[in-house]
Amino acid sequence: MNCSISGEVPEEPVVSKNSGLLFEKRLIERHIADYGKCPVTGESLTLDDIVPIKTGKIVKPRSLTAASIPGMLGMFQNEWDALMLSNFALEQQLHAARQELSHALYQHDAACRVIARLKKERDEARSFLVQAERQLPLLASTAVAANASALSNGKRAAEDEDLGPGAKRMRPGISQNIIAELTDCNTALSKQRKSRQISPTLAPLEALERYTQVHSHPLHKTTKAGITSIDINFSKDIIATGGVDSNAVLLHRTSGQIISTLSGHSKKVTSVKFVAQNDLFLSGSADKTVRVWQGSEDGNYECCHVLKEHAAGVQAVTVHATNNYFVTASLDSTWCFYDLSSGSCLAQVAHPSDSQGYTSAAFHPDGLILGTGTSDAVVRIWDVKSQGNVANFDGHTGAVSAISFSENGYFLATAAHDGVKLWDLRKLKNFRSFELYDSNTPTNSVDFDYSGSYLAIAGSDIRVYQVGTVKTEWNCLKTLPDLSGTGKVTSVKFGPDAKYLAVGSMDHNLRMFGLSEDGVPEES
């Protein structure tokens, strides 16, 4: 018997009490719920008017098409055709989805490129705007600056500086050309350092162990005694000293003759530096100024620039490896980046948390890193290109009085009241400390020799160490006494190939420690 609605054998058959017709239960129940009457006779019909018929559950009724082999084959053929049509439709949908996804990805990539280009153009426009804002006041004051330069023989006064918002001096900034120059210098020096061998003429350990005073030169005034800084021009064998008497003195080491005494500062000279090219010399002073001196063929030096950017005493001057730029550090909590040829300040940088000022500064041998020491015992490492503070070293007690980078580019030595600390620049951590003196005796100076083989430390005496590694010991080779009688050695500097040590103390004498020409120590 078949269902009166579907015409197929019902799985759950029911019969109407009124008409006696047979139906599939789920179909008649849905029809009654929708219409409330019999689908065949049209008479009123409710769920109470239908009676289920019980059938055997072992074998389910089969449709007529499944009752014979030809019918089953036809049914299978229909199902296969439907499956193939469905599969074809899915493949079409997949192909369309792939095309839509590819188009969307292409649009996203194009949008990203457009956004990146717009951001680059925006940043360039902002940079040009900042440079234009900085240069407009400079252009307006060009004539005044030229007249002032002519009247002051190249000296630039602080009152001629351009002031921006908030009465702050405006700086042109370090240009992309200068950054490219610094980067090229860094690349070249890095390659040279990797291939450079230690000089065969480097003083051996046995020689340093026998060093003693060989010369003493009274260079500065006795009324204001004290040597605060030393630098050496290796190529010309000239030693420069800065003194408490506000003078810088240049001495020819071999002849022992004073070449020139440079006067002009009104307070003590805190830092002196030779420039390897163009016979230039720099001096920084507690009078807040830096002077650039030009040497002449007759050996005299003339001041060509007086730089007055700082508002407090200048504590350190350091020259970049290009010999075209230099940096000054001051107690006014700023450091300045200068163009050497023009004497112009390109950038003046301050750290927001520094309130005590900078007491020391030095360039890394490759020139892209600057180290500064503060009076509140912090060592700051700066990226010169961005003028950003990239690392800080804490742990000292008292002002950081001296900084020296090793020529291997890996080690940094810093001196403060509590002694000397050695830092590994690769891991940015302290790996060794020397506490050499008592709590009342500060360490005033520290210096690596050019080969990076020796380290000199100055406090109440002078100590020379053999440079080791992060894990191996740094052995003290020699302890030299302070022969000034003041108990305060203020500066120490290695000569070429560590053949001698130039030492300054709080008296007026420059002392040379080394071996006499015949190898026998002597004093003069």
Side-chain angles (χ1 to χ4, degrees):
M1 300 179 67
N2 296 331
C3 172
S4 298
I5 296 176
S6 64
E8 297 180 353
V9 178
E11 294 183 359
E12 293 183 76
V14 294
V15 64
S16 172
K17 294 180 181 179
N18 300 333
S19 62
L21 296 174
L22 185 69
F23 300 100
E24 176 69 57
K25 182 179 179 181
R26 57 184 175 81
L27 297 179
I28 191 62
E29 287 179 350
R30 187 182 302 169
H31 187 83
I32 292 173
D34 292 340
Y35 303 104
K37 59 183 180 180
C38 178
V40 178
T41 62
E43 298 176 354
S44 177
L45 187 66
T46 65
L47 294 177
D48 295 334
D49 296 330
I50 58 176
V51 178
I53 299 175
K54 296 182 178 180
T55 59
K57 300 296 183 181
I58 299 175
V59 179
K60 291 185 178 181
R62 292 182 294 178
S63 62
L64 292 176
T65 56
S68 64
I69 292 176
M72 293 178 66
L73 292 175
M75 183 178 63
F76 291 156
Q77 182 65 46
N78 293 336
E79 290 182 356
W80 174 258
D81 294 341
L83 180 61
M84 290 299 101
L85 291 173
S86 175
N87 185 62
F88 178 73
L90 289 176
E91 287 182 351
Q92 285 184 319
Q93 293 176 2
L94 176 61
H95 180 68
R98 283 178 174 173
Q99 288 184 323
E100 292 176 0
L101 178 60
S102 177
H103 183 66
L105 290 175
Y106 176 78
Q107 287 182 322
H108 177 267
D109 183 62
C112 289
R113 289 198 300 270
V114 171
I115 292 172
R117 179 174 55 82
L118 292 176
K119 284 184 176 180
K120 182 179 179 181
E121 293 176 354
R122 180 202 64 186
D123 294 341
E124 290 177 350
R126 286 179 176 175
S127 176
F128 290 145
L129 179 61
V130 171
Q131 291 180 5
E133 290 175 348
R134 290 172 174 171
Q135 292 173 358
L136 283 176
L138 294 175
L139 294 174
S141 62
T142 300
V144 176
N147 293 335
S149 177
L151 292 173
S152 61
N153 191 24
K155 302 173 185 177
R156 299 187 298 108
E159 57 268 24
D160 293 330
E161 293 293 332
D162 302 299
L163 299 179
K168 293 183 179 179
R169 296 173 185 170
M170 302 183 69
R171 310 297 179 201
I174 301 177
S175 67
Q176 292 299 320
N177 290 336
I178 295 177
I179 290 177
E181 182 182 359
L182 302 183
T183 303
D184 292 342
C185 177
N186 170 269
T187 303
L189 291 176
S190 297
K191 291 181 179 179
Q192 291 177 11
R193 187 179 69 242
K194 292 178 181 178
S195 60
R196 187 173 63 225
Q197 301 294 325
I198 294 178
S199 172
T201 59
L202 178 69
L205 302 179
E206 298 78 11
L208 268 78
E209 291 172 350
R210 294 187 293 120
Y211 276 9
T212 187
Q213 179 175 308
V214 293
H215 294 291
S216 178
H217 303 281
L219 302 182
H220 293 271
K221 298 177 182 178
T222 56
T223 54
K224 291 184 178 180
I227 293 176
T228 59
S229 178
I230 294 176
D231 196 30
I232 302 175
N233 187 329
F234 288 179
S235 62
K236 295 188 176 182
D237 202 17
I238 300 175
I239 301 176
T241 61
V244 177
D245 60 0
S246 72
N247 292 332
V249 179
L250 276 60
L251 173 78
H252 190 272
R253 185 188 68 90
T254 306
S255 65
Q257 299 297 315
I258 294 178
I259 298 174
S260 183
T261 298
L262 309 181
S263 302
H265 288 292
S266 59
K267 294 184 179 180
K268 67 179 180 180
V269 176
T270 55
S271 182
V272 292
K273 284 291 178 183
F274 283 103
V275 180
Q277 298 175 356
N278 302 323
D279 204 13
L280 292 170
F281 177 74
L282 308 173
S283 61
S285 171
D287 64 4
K288 309 176 187 178
T289 68
V290 178
R291 288 178 178 258
V292 183
W293 307 81
Q294 176 67 63
S296 58
E297 294 181 357
D298 59 4
N300 293 323
Y301 281 78
E302 296 293 333
C303 180
C304 56
H305 295 294
V306 178
L307 312 177
K308 300 182 179 181
E309 273 71 23
H310 289 295
V314 177
Q315 294 295 103
V317 178
T318 178
V319 180
H320 189 267
T322 57
N323 294 305
N324 294 327
Y325 311 98
F326 67 96
V327 162
T328 61
S330 168
L331 291 175
D332 65 0
S333 302
T334 68
W335 58 267
C336 291
F337 186 93
Y338 288 92
D339 177 80
L340 189 56
S341 60
S342 64
S344 59
C345 179
L346 303 180
Q348 188 166 13
V349 182
H351 192 280
S353 65
D354 283 336
S355 59
Q356 302 299 318
Y358 295 113
T359 52
S360 56
F363 271 113
H364 185 273
D366 293 342
L368 290 185
I369 295 175
L370 175 72
T372 59
T374 67
S375 55
D376 55 354
V378 179
V379 179
R380 300 197 185 281
I381 305 298
W382 303 82
D383 176 8
V384 177
K385 294 191 294 185
S386 65
Q387 299 98 63
N389 179 210
V390 294
N392 296 312
F393 297 149
D394 300 313
H396 271 301
T397 301
V400 180
S401 55
I403 287 178
S404 181
F405 286 96
S406 172
E407 273 295 321
N408 66 11
Y410 302 143
F411 298 146
L412 169 66
T414 57
H417 191 90
D418 58 346
V420 172
K421 291 186 180 294
L422 300 175
W423 310 88
D424 185 351
L425 297 176
R426 295 164 294 186
K427 298 184 179 179
L428 300 178
K429 69 176 184 178
N430 170 232
F431 66 91
R432 186 166 277 100
S433 299
F434 298 117
E435 297 179 2
L436 307 177
Y437 311 110
D438 58 48
S439 59
N440 297 321
T441 305
T443 306
N444 301 310
S445 183
V446 63
D447 182 56
F448 282 102
D449 79 300
Y450 180 74
S451 70
S453 301
Y454 304 115
L455 175 69
I457 300 172
S460 60
D461 55 22
I462 307 102
R463 305 192 186 193
V464 180
Y465 285 81
Q466 180 185 13
V467 172
T469 65
V470 173
K471 296 182 179 180
T472 61
E473 288 298 320
W474 294 47
N475 299 316
C476 183
L477 302 175
K478 184 69 174 180
T479 299
L480 301 168
D482 172 30
L483 300 178
S484 69
T486 63
K488 186 176 182 181
V489 182
T490 56
S491 51
V492 61
K493 192 76 175 177
F494 277 105
D497 290 331
K499 295 293 186 183
Y500 63 88
L501 275 171
V503 175
S505 302
M506 286 309 293
D507 65 346
H508 64 293
N509 292 310
L510 170 67
R511 290 177 170 81
M512 313 296 296
F513 290 84
L515 297 177
S516 62
E517 292 183 0
D518 58 0
V520 180
E522 63 178 21
E523 289 189 16
S524 61

